[in-house]
Amino acid sequence: MFARRPWMRSVFVYSIVGAFLLFLAAPFLWMLITTFKADRDLYRSQNNPFLFNDPPTLDHLRLLFNQTEYVTFWRNSFIVGTAVVLITLVFAVPAAYSLARLVGRWGERAGIGMFLVYLIPPTLLFIPMFRMVVAMGLNDSIWSLIVVYPTITIPFSTWLLMGFFKSIPPDLEEAAMVDGYSRLMAFIKVVMPLSISGVVAIIVFTFTLTLHEFIYALTFITSSSQRTLSVGVPIELVRGDVFYWQSLMAASVIVALPVGFIYNFFLDRLVEGFTMGAVKG
Amino acid sequence: MAVVETEGLKKYFDDVHAVDGVDLAIQEGELLVILGPSGCGKTTLMRMIAGLEKPTAGEISIGGEQVTQLPPRDRKIGMVFQSYALYPHMTVFDNIAFPLRSEGVFTKEEIKSKVEWAVGILGIQLLLKRRPRQLSGGERQRVALARALVKEPRVLLLDEPLSNLDAKLRASARDELQRFQRRLGITTIFVTHDQIEAMGMGDRIAVMYAGKVRQIGTPLEIYHDSEDTFVATFLGSPGMNLVDYGDYILGFRPENFHPHDGAEVPPGNRVFDFSVERVEYLGADRLVYGMINEASEETLVVAKLPTTVKTSVEPGQQYPFALDVGDLHYFDKETGRRTTPVEQR
Amino acid sequence: MATTASVERGTMARAGGRLADREGALGMLFLAPSVIYIVALVGFPFVLAILFSFSDVTVGDTSLDFVGLRNFRSILASPQFVRGLQDSFVFTIISQILIIALANVLAVVMAENFRGKWLARMLVILPWATPIALGTLGWLWLLDSKFSPFDWILQQVGILGPGGLFGPRLHMNFLGREYLAMASAIVVYVWRTLPLSTVILMAGLTSIPQDIVDQAQVDGASYLRTHLRVKIPMIYPILIIALLFGVIFTFTDMVVIYVLTRGGPVYYTHVVPTWAYIKGIQGGALSEGAAVALFLFPVLLGVAMLLLRVARRMEIS
């Protein structure tokens, strides 16, 4: 179709990409603009929403950081995220190695089983989970999340790492064992250093998974001092019936942009995991 | 009439001159082999003829029609890739029918009869319902050929179609392919790096190196009348010997270099002093490695002696070895092209 | 020096004990913690969910009294739940159809090389990377009943307002009208899941050998034919995977509806998970909530079996 007029091809490609970018990314641009809009400007429906009809202001950002629990939410999310990442690594790395190398045929079945567990969603389990959390005395505390989130992150991380370990040639470990290392040491000294990129990918995705999670956080926690970003922002940053929109938009964009940036780096690994290694990203 | 013509065809990838000015005129019904080592540009050349690469410069015409700007689908060509590129999710029938369906003008019955014709020629009637992963290498090759032929193209392009076959299969596949091309009379371009294949199959061979066609001619022509040092050394096993000889490079083929018995030098022969360093016994032949004292530099040359030559040859000794003057090639030192030395002009 | 190193390593090996060499046992040791964790915190709640659904547990009354199918009967009798179940299917199916179609187009153009591709990719995955609640918040404001920029644009173009196609009203009220709210929810689902499906498709398309694509060109196939008859069939497993994950993420999602409409207007946009939350946590009737949530399971089971089938097919081919 474009053989005779190659320049048309570029126009075609750029315009389609542009249209999709408009749909997918423009809301964020809009959120960014809204962040700095003065109340007078924003709450006038005749005003052009895309321009600053009144000069932009940092007031809403100040409100967000000084007069709300936003910083607390970040802190809680960070603590939960870090703790969950550590727990996940401790559980998933050995499990993945075991499934990849040490348990043979039924290891594959177990691996698929792990993956299927990932398909039992929080929205199915959240009610009994809530009772269990209350019974453990962890309700209304970030500890409830720290204990429960690994149920989501361990299966997926194990699956991803399993594929990763499998792609490392077994010859390397065997050479190490011939050299005198035990299987355990071979794992630590040979396989681990080679798996850094896979492990980093796990860290990134586990952390973002904890950022995304909503229903457990909504169900288990009621005090704002214990809330994480995902629930805190939509629920808490509303005073009575009043939505402080600019601050809300700011709160969202501040999380979205860095996460999106980092995600882009590790996307290929994620796709590998999702497609069960059918496609090397 | 020339069915395929290229004029000044060039393809540059940044600094790399993959194809550097190629002129070809391929005749109707001819089987032209493009022979060369990997990286010489032969595949790029074929891809340009197919329309899969756009030339940096030059023109291509097929059947008298300028096709340089046309996409592959408008060029009425058939092509077989080294990997055969069979559509893995389709049956053999659907694979072969694919070009016909893409044209969109044939009825179901027409498609069926054309496919049956194509499989008939290649003898794969029994494979129609199978899928590519159930086929052997040879079977896949035939399916790929049937698919290429089914739309009765003007030109058939074959990119190393025999490389993926077992060595044993290759010889018989080569034979079949050649007979089949003769029977159909379809103009064919065949790319390979294997000189035995080329010599066995081609009506003409175009030897390529570093993006240029060094020589084009019948197998005998390029072998006995090699026009440049690359062609001379590329063809033959072993290739032509080249030694520094005064103002020229002297070339002669190992199989023409024999021990000279007797005192008299017959007219039309040249004799050299050959210091033997090593002898290899290959069963049917002997390869004798050594130096010619008349050469300007010390270069190792080879003589290939069949078993009919009984003369004993020992390393460390010197022997007179003779060549027919007609088998002596002189090449220009700078260009590497064949030339006639001053004394003989 | 060599001797010391090998002695050192030998000692380490021995210090690790025979365990470090017994692969079966080591394997168990490595695997057991995760298995225990999962069984305890996934398997056990799952069983509990089933038990709850057959009991009368509430936030106040924690005793597990068996009540048979009472919860299920009352759920199925309530129009809100039936509507919620319907909406779950409608939202999932429609959004997935849209996503597959759009992802195909986007994946194809993103396969081209153009300037700023890395940035474009980052922007494309932004809706997926952002925490769901926060992304949805953005749409909540974008679709606001009084201040939506879409309303403003439509007003400028004359579609809203006196004499307009949708006029004379000045605002569409995207989230307050039954079908418009449903459509808005679908748009947000598509917005959020499209990046993942696109990226998976992109990876699939690039895994197709160039030879096959070249051959299709020589064989005379148009771009569309090559895409539909050659490329897509070759990546069916990947397509199915993208589809199934899309189904899971949309069908079991609770956040979009909760943040966007809380199930409104009235109860018209509720889906199974949000209804389970309203009934179980907000309403305190844990048993009913659990029963509602269990309706997710059959679909998930179906998806899991399909995924397994795909995985097996991939191993064979």
Side-chain angles (χ1 to χ4, degrees), chain B residues 47 52 72-73 77-81 83-90 98-99 101-102 147 151, chain C residues 210-223 225-226 229-231 233-234 316-317:
Chain B
R47 286 173 68 87
L52 295 168
R73 39 193 294 236
I77 53 173
M79 185 160 177
V80 175
F81 289 83
S83 67
Y84 310 133
L86 297 182
Y87 304 121
H89 55 286
M90 296 187 199
F98 187 78
R101 293 193 177 128
S102 299
R147 180 179 57 182
K151 54 185 189 195
Chain C
Q210 184 61 32
D211 263 4
I212 301 266
V213 179
D214 286 344
Q215 181 72 63
Q217 276 205 25
V218 170
D219 283 347
S222 65
Y223 197 89
R225 172 175 274 269
T226 310
R229 299 298 175 97
V230 178
K231 291 192 191 176
M234 278 180 78
I316 297 178
S317 59

Side-chain angles (χ1 to χ4, degrees), chain B residues 182-208:
Chain B
R182 289 265 159 78
R183 198 173 108 207
L184 287 178
I186 183 169
T187 315
T188 305
I189 306 179
F190 186 104
V191 163
T192 181
H193 62 274
D194 183 334
Q195 47 157 319
I196 311 238
E197 242 169 53
M199 299 286 280
M201 289 198 65
D203 293 329
R204 279 194 304 159
I205 304 178
V207 182
M208 258 187 98

Side-chain angles (χ1 to χ4, degrees), chain B residues 3 23 33 42 70 109 119 133 135 139 145 150 166 174 196 199 204 246-247 250 255 286 289 309 317 332 334 344:
Chain B
V3 173
D23 298 300
V33 177
K42 56 192 193 296
L70 293 183
E109 294 78 31
V119 301
R133 63 169 176 270
L135 303 175
E139 289 168 339
L145 276 169
V150 78
D166 290 336
R174 198 172 77 218
I196 311 238
M199 299 286 280
R204 279 194 304 159
D247 292 328
L250 189 67
E255 60 269 20
R286 265 184 299 169
Y289 294 86
V309 172
Q317 304 282 352
D332 184 286
E334 273 161 31
Q344 290 181 14

Side-chain angles (χ1 to χ4, degrees), chain B residues 250-322:
Chain B
L250 189 67
F252 54 92
R253 292 209 172 269
E255 60 269 20
N256 297 333
F257 199 44
H258 286 190
H260 170 70
D261 301 315
E264 277 174 32
V265 180
N269 268 33
R270 277 279 288 280
V271 180
F272 294 91
D273 272 331
F274 192 33
S275 305
V276 175
E277 297 205 1
R278 192 171 100 243
V279 181
E280 274 176 14
Y281 293 88
L282 297 183
D285 301 310
R286 265 184 299 169
L287 290 182
V288 186
Y289 294 86
M291 314 254 206
I292 324 181
N293 302 334
E294 289 86 343
S296 315
E297 278 177 16
E298 288 198 345
T299 325
L300 206 60
V301 299
V302 190
K304 192 173 181 183
L305 310 181
T307 44
T308 46
V309 172
K310 304 285 184 198
T311 324
S312 142
V313 174
E314 295 299 320
Q317 304 282 352
Q318 242 186 342
Y319 302 88
F321 265 63

